[in-house]
Amino acid sequence: MKSDSVKKGMQQAPHRSLFNALGMTEEEMERPLIGIVSSYNEIVPGHMNLDKIVDAVKMGVAMAGGTPVMVPAIAVCDGIAMGHIGMKYSLVTRDLVADSTECLARAHAFDALVMVPNCDKNVPGLLMAAARINIPTVFVSGGPMLAGRVQGHKTSLSSMFEAVGAYTAGKMTEEDVKEYEQKACPTCGSCSGMYTANSMNCLTEVLGMGLKGNGTIPAVYSERLKLAKHAGMAVMELLKKNICPRDIMTEKAFRNALTMDMALGCSTNSMLHLPAIAHEAGVDLNLEIANEISAKTPNLCHLAPAGPTYIEDLNEAGGIYAVMNEINKLGLLELDCITATGKTVGDNIKGCVNKDPQVIRPVEDPYSKTGGIAILKGNLAPDSAVVKRSAVAPEMLKHEGPARVFDCEEDAIDAIKGGKIVAGDVVVIRYEGPKGGPGMREMLNPTSAIAGMGLGSTVALITDGRFSGASRGASIGHACPEAAVGGPIALVEEGDIISIDIDNHRLDVKVSDEEMAARKEKWQPRKPAVTSGYLARYAAMAAPASRGAILEI
């Protein structure tokens, strides 16, 4: 056991004295040492129940013969961080989580790990850490929030942000907004739609790093505690069999994740996180294959914000395994991948039926014959850009309009709320990429303002930043190269005609190559937005969004 290096032999007597200081018995020291990495805190609603999940995991580990030890990981609530400087500190925490977890696990010689995350960046951060550390590991998230209910209809955080836009447009009263404010987020858990947190928790299940139900069992259900106990027991089985994350997160497993990403209609942030996790696992996940996979993968789910169903509905319909089994009717999954259950994907999904064809469409009757996410290219994004196709109004799949150019999110919001954006416009928000932001902020406030003001089916938004999974409409992000390094988005001028053709994966500005070259000659890099602290270090090391915005050594 790895932990023998801190527990066995005369040289380790000082180490044992410190375990004694923890109140650890000789019997506990004889057992495998299992790190329980918990993101519990009292500021993120998705994490306020993680202390209960951790207690259940510890029970499962102990029942199976291990010694569980809780250690911490940080997390940021994207909703609370949204729309101010806090959002610059969201994506960047992914690497802090990975780095700090690596330090904790290596320094204390854990034999195995159970990761207990829940929200946007600490799920991929811990998956990155798991791949890097590569000791037996199981994930169990805190679970999704139940949907809110306003005037008899289910609702969620995305409706809350859009309500602010509707109020600005005079379509809602202050009392209406107050009702949403009180009812949109009724329980603990990750926000209730197919936003980034739930996307990544569901994809953790697909990758094989979490047990059945990891992505969908609601946070407030006692079944979630049972799942946590089983996760604790499962990691002990993985330890016995020496099944490690890199055995599970193979190239085939990532192809499965991309396939299910398309079927589920996950957040566009998955196009940042999957390549970053794959990088740590030693897998080159080129997003060029995303459109290839999308072309043959039908979109079966329209969960909020794309439609009126929520994660709790997906859970009742059979969960992720049911969607996988449905997709497998087309032979699109790699079934021989080993998973944290100790069984293969094929074994796991066998017999998992679709219990509600209104939530999980049959493959014979999909929402669309192609996947929920599209990668776009063109002279405005020569490397790539990303759009959640399943959340775009049909009339906006192909659109041309004049560019309305802003060099930061705040200026764009002022223009939108000031009534300066009209039907047909293409809002361009730049210098918000990994380096330019720095930190690649989410643009949920401007997209929600556009939707709330009734412009969601007539106005597009393009950015080198990114979008919350709660964004809907023709919201095109991750434009690469970003403005801060002189990418074409930096050269767009007010009134340029921008052409969007999502079905044909094109994103272009109707300006000649000669004119773009002339503009590039005149372009000057901007002074860095931040020159000290962690954000400055992140900006200096951040790779392009097309490569997952990983940190380059």
Side-chain angles (χ1 to χ4, degrees), residues 248-313:
I248 295 171
M249 291 193 285
T250 61
E251 184 177 356
K252 286 183 177 181
F254 281 103
R255 287 189 71 93
N256 283 346
L258 279 174
T259 297
M260 291 304 299
D261 196 328
M262 300 302 169
L264 291 164
C266 291
S267 163
T268 52
N269 280 313
S270 63
M271 295 295 104
L272 281 174
H273 300 322
L274 287 176
I277 299 161
H279 173 75
E280 296 291 352
V283 174
D284 182 15
L285 188 63
N286 190 332
L287 289 183
E288 296 287 338
I289 68 171
N291 285 338
E292 167 203 326
I293 290 174
S294 178
K296 55 188 178 184
T297 307
N299 177 226
L300 305 185
C301 300
H302 265 195
L303 297 149
T309 53
Y310 295 81
I311 300 296
E312 64 191 61
D313 302 311

Side-chain angles (χ1 to χ4, degrees), residues 382-393:
D383 292 346
S384 64
V386 181
V387 63
K388 188 171 183 176
R389 185 190 186 285
S390 58
V392 178

Side-chain angles (χ1 to χ4, degrees), residues 25 77 144 240 246 296 385 502:
T25 66
C77 176
K240 288 176 187 176
R246 290 193 180 201
K296 55 188 178 184
I502 294 172

